[in-house]
Amino acid sequence: MKVMVLENRDGPLQERQRPIPMPGPGQVLLKVEACAVCRIDLHLLDGELPETRYPIVPGHEIIGRVVDCGPGVTLMHGMRLGVPWLGYSCGVCRYCLEGQENLCDQARFTGYQIDGGFAEYTLADHRFCFSISPTYSAAHAAPLMCAGLIGYRSLRMCGDNLHRLGIYGFGAAAHIVAQVALGQGAELYAFTRPGDEQAQQFARQLGATWAGSSNQLPDVSLDAAIIFAPAGELVPAALRSVCKGGVVVCGGIHMSDIPSFPYSLLWGERQLRTVANLTRKDGKEFLELVSKMAVSTKVKCYPLSAANEALMHLREGKLTGAAVLVMS
């Protein structure tokens, strides 16, 4: 099978041939149909994630079909499954037992500690896979597995009384969670890189009340803001945008250092929170929700061999929506 593998820090990915793996106990072998490209993949390439093992096959937004099952697994051949970032948790620690498996100290992650979906076939723990609605094509379902799930968890952390939501960084995650927030009746305020008129126009097309640069402030205070861009300097900016009692949620796994800021920005019972991965409960809730709301994803497709090109386009901010690798 063909894989795109990261053999050392800073890449690029190398195209290699490997034997198709055999599923072990509890595993399922999937023929990959599509795998979305995520900013986490850039953090992996840049050596910004701790204790990265090499070589590693990136990719954690996988849609594939069941080819074979290991001992203890009975799934229908050809069944379509989605594989997310969280690929394993221990199931017995305090976090797992309290429904916070995303915080498990023994957790392992797809495309980081487990070979992922930049490949024609991949293995996954069947317990951490999701059934995918047939209403989505493989390419359009793939971004739901991380961009959608992390966005959904971030949105939940914003609280229930959400009338005005700001989103900093209007890419793959933002364009999905924006549709959910708008469907729930919130007003949307989109903050992009200065001068990124294309992203601002995209936000307006989705229904944003206001779209502007991250160094601007709208004329109204927001109830909450989600930061998807991995830029620490956006934290003080977002705190300035929210009202007293407001929430700022950092939705990324990695962010540059947050600069110091006056306590007055945090005072007034404002909250600063982070999102760490996802739980399977999040996944089931989210996939049911997007099917009912008919949430759509905007994608640009690339062949597997063009993974480096897709990553470069993501890094350079040339994408509207999500990049997806589609297997032949």
Side-chain angles (χ1 to χ4, degrees):
M1 68 175 185
K2 183 192 299 182
V3 302
M4 297 297 291
V5 60
L6 180 64
E7 296 183 337
N8 49 65
R9 178 175 170 170
D10 297 328
L13 303 183
Q14 303 294 328
E15 184 175 322
R16 299 288 187 247
Q17 289 290 328
R18 289 184 176 179
I20 297 175
M22 297 290 291
Q27 290 184 320
V28 58
L29 175 65
L30 300 175
K31 188 179 192 318
V32 178
E33 293 184 311
C35 185
V37 178
C38 179
R39 186 163 294 277
I40 294 175
D41 300 317
L42 290 180
H43 296 319
L44 184 72
L45 261 67
D46 294 341
E48 293 171 333
L49 302 184
E51 301 178 3
T52 300
R53 71 164 180 87
Y54 303 101
I56 183 69
V57 177
H60 56 274
E61 299 179 274
I62 306 168
I63 304 296
R65 292 192 181 272
V66 175
V67 174
D68 196 7
C69 297
V73 183
T74 304
L75 292 172
M76 184 180 299
H77 188 278
M79 180 180 182
R80 193 163 67 149
L81 298 177
V83 183
W85 172 242
L86 181 63
Y88 169 84
S89 64
C90 74
V92 296
C93 70
R94 57 167 285 199
Y95 296 115
C96 290
L97 295 176
E98 293 174 2
Q100 295 177 296
E101 61 187 7
N102 58 311
L103 302 181
C104 174
D105 290 330
Q106 305 303 316
R108 299 175 70 224
F109 302 101
T110 311
Y112 170 33
Q113 292 144 337
I114 304 168
D115 279 338
F118 287 12
E120 292 178 321
Y121 292 85
T122 193
L123 293 174
D125 186 325
H126 79 285
R127 298 171 301 170
F128 290 82
C129 297
F130 299 116
S131 178
I132 301 299
S133 168
T135 59
Y136 287 98
S137 70
H140 287 88
L144 300 176
M145 292 296 97
C146 181
L149 282 167
I150 297 301
Y152 174 69
R153 189 169 179 87
S154 300
L155 182 63
R156 286 180 51 215
M157 286 191 173
C158 290
D160 296 328
N161 298 317
L162 187 60
H163 303 291
R164 298 189 183 108
L165 171 67
I167 298 180
Y168 286 78
F170 211 85
H175 93 284
I176 297 172
V177 73
Q179 295 175 68
V180 176
L182 289 165
Q184 293 175 342
E187 292 181 1
L188 177 65
Y189 295 75
F191 300 81
T192 72
R193 294 177 182 178
D196 192 347
E197 294 290 342
Q198 183 178 8
Q200 293 169 21
Q201 181 60 28
F202 183 38
R204 294 188 191 100
Q205 289 172 354
L206 285 175
T209 298
W210 179 94
S213 299
S214 57
N215 54 10
Q216 294 179 292
L217 286 175
D219 293 333
V220 296
S221 294
L222 309 178
D223 299 304
I226 302 172
I227 303 174
F228 290 121
E233 64 269 21
L234 293 178
V235 170
L239 285 169
R240 287 187 180 92
S241 75
V242 299
C243 61
K244 288 186 287 186
V247 182
V248 173
V249 180
C250 299
I253 190 172
H254 175 83
M255 180 178 278
S256 61
D257 289 347
I258 301 171
S260 63
F261 56 86
Y263 176 64
S264 58
L265 290 183
L266 189 60
W267 188 79
E269 299 191 354
R270 295 174 178 86
Q271 299 179 60
L272 179 60
R273 306 191 66 178
T274 67
V275 168
N277 320 312
L278 68 139
T279 68
R280 285 171 285 180
K281 182 174 181 289
D282 293 328
K284 291 174 183 176
E285 290 177 355
F286 171 69
L287 291 172
E288 289 177 5
L289 180 63
V290 296
S291 293
K292 291 177 182 177
M293 297 180 70
V295 170
S296 63
T297 57
K298 183 175 178 62
V299 302
K300 181 175 181 180
C301 295
Y302 300 77
L304 176 59
S305 58
N308 285 309
E309 180 183 1
L311 287 162
M312 180 179 65
H313 288 170
L314 175 60
R315 189 187 298 278
E316 295 175 352
K318 293 182 177 179
L319 297 169
T320 302
V324 179
L325 304 182
V326 178
M327 312 310 157
S328 58

